[in-house]
Amino acid sequence: GIQVEQSPPDLILQEGANSTLRCNFSDSVNNLQWFHQNPWGQLINLFYIPSGTKQNGRLSATTVATERYSLLYISSSQTTDSGVYFCAVEIIGSQGNLIFGKGTKLSVKP
Amino acid sequence: EAGVVQSPRYKIIEKKQPVAFWCNPISGHNTLYWYRQNLGQGPELLIRYENEEAVDDSQLPKDRFSAERLKGVDSTLKIQPAELGDSAVYLCASSLEAGAVYEQYFGPGTRLTVT
């Protein structure tokens, strides 16, 4: 089946720093979503981004579908950005079934 | 607009006991998903509903797990009997199919501990 690999697995930042999280996937996909799982376990939608670039405040994401990767950029990180960031891909023909990566655990220190 | 609602938030049971989780999706969302998330892992799909029909239950352990979505709105996931390995967070998600776009929104989950 399709493989979804996220890197790095863990990341520690000082508040105010910038970071880039990567998601590689092994096969063509219909769509890709980025989520933030906060310390209370809630999965929060960040981006629905099958291709191209989107920005939302301090966050932006780019998906290059032809090269099978996506990047999530966090600028001027804040302690509230801490948590686990998941990339999830929708397999072609699955009509919505998401395959998640193992996530990147981000800790932002004050 | 209310998000996906799940209850209970936490459940502790002894092995071999039954347990049930409830989910109410976002109003108007016709597609509902149940996922299981083990510690340190991403969620894994158990079952997907399109309205009241289970269209993909290939990952559901049918010997002990069952699910229903009788009126195409809220849904219940049941485990009977529970095993120690069932300890996990059970997540419900919903989406509105719009031109083959299935952006999923997740509930807060139910954390199950089997002792």
Side-chain angles (χ1 to χ4, degrees):
Chain A
I2 191 169
Q3 303 297 313
V4 181
E5 296 181 352
Q6 292 188 242
S7 60
D10 296 278
L11 185 59
I12 300 175
L13 296 176
Q14 205 66 35
E15 196 169 27
N18 303 328
S19 63
T20 300
L21 282 56
R22 187 177 180 100
C23 173
N24 292 333
F25 42 98
S26 60
D27 206 345
S28 298
V29 298
N30 266 346
N31 291 303
L32 185 146
Q33 287 188 247
W34 282 99
F35 296 92
H36 173 214
Q37 190 164 43
N38 65 23
W40 295 271
Q42 175 73 56
L43 276 165
I44 300 166
N45 291 43
L46 296 179
F47 295 102
Y48 182 89
I49 184 166
S51 63
T53 297
K54 291 185 177 180
Q55 182 158 6
N56 185 1
R58 297 181 295 104
L59 302 181
S60 64
T62 295
T63 297
V64 184
T66 54
E67 297 187 21
R68 300 179 185 170
Y69 73 88
S70 184
L71 302 174
L72 177 69
Y73 305 95
I74 305 174
S75 64
S76 304
S77 59
Q78 300 175 358
T79 56
T80 52
D81 294 332
S82 296
V84 182
Y85 289 80
F86 286 103
C87 163
V89 301
E90 177 191 327
I91 302 172
I92 291 175
S94 71
Q95 295 180 295
N97 292 4
L98 290 178
I99 304 297
F100 281 76
K102 291 187 175 182
T104 292
K105 185 176 181 180
L106 174 65
S107 298
V108 181
K109 306 297 185 184
Chain B
E1 179 183 281
V4 177
V5 178
Q6 289 189 248
S7 68
R9 293 295 313 280
Y10 305 92
K11 189 74 175 179
I12 301 174
I13 61 171
E14 295 183 346
K15 62 183 181 182
K16 301 185 181 180
Q17 294 301 306
V19 65
F21 314 122
W22 177 81
C23 171
N24 193 283
I26 293 172
S27 178
H29 281 196
N30 58 326
T31 306
L32 184 146
Y33 313 77
W34 283 103
Y35 289 83
R36 177 170 58 189
Q37 185 176 20
N38 293 312
L39 191 64
Q41 303 292 318
E44 296 177 324
L45 182 70
L46 292 174
I47 189 169
R48 183 179 97 242
Y49 282 91
E50 298 282 349
N51 300 305
E52 66 275 9
E53 182 182 0
V55 295
D56 186 349
D57 62 357
S58 58
Q59 302 303 313
L60 190 72
K62 298 182 186 62
D63 56 336
R64 298 182 299 106
F65 286 65
S66 63
E68 60 183 16
R69 193 185 184 198
L70 294 176
K71 296 183 179 179
V73 181
D74 57 346
S75 175
T76 302
L77 177 68
K78 298 178 182 178
I79 308 175
Q80 182 171 12
E83 297 179 352
L84 294 176
D86 295 331
S87 294
V89 176
Y90 291 83
L91 294 162
C92 179
S94 69
S95 66
L96 174 65
E97 181 192 357
V101 172
Y102 291 86
E103 184 171 3
Q104 294 184 34
Y105 295 86
F106 282 78
T110 297
R111 184 177 297 276
L112 174 67
T113 301
V114 182
T115 63

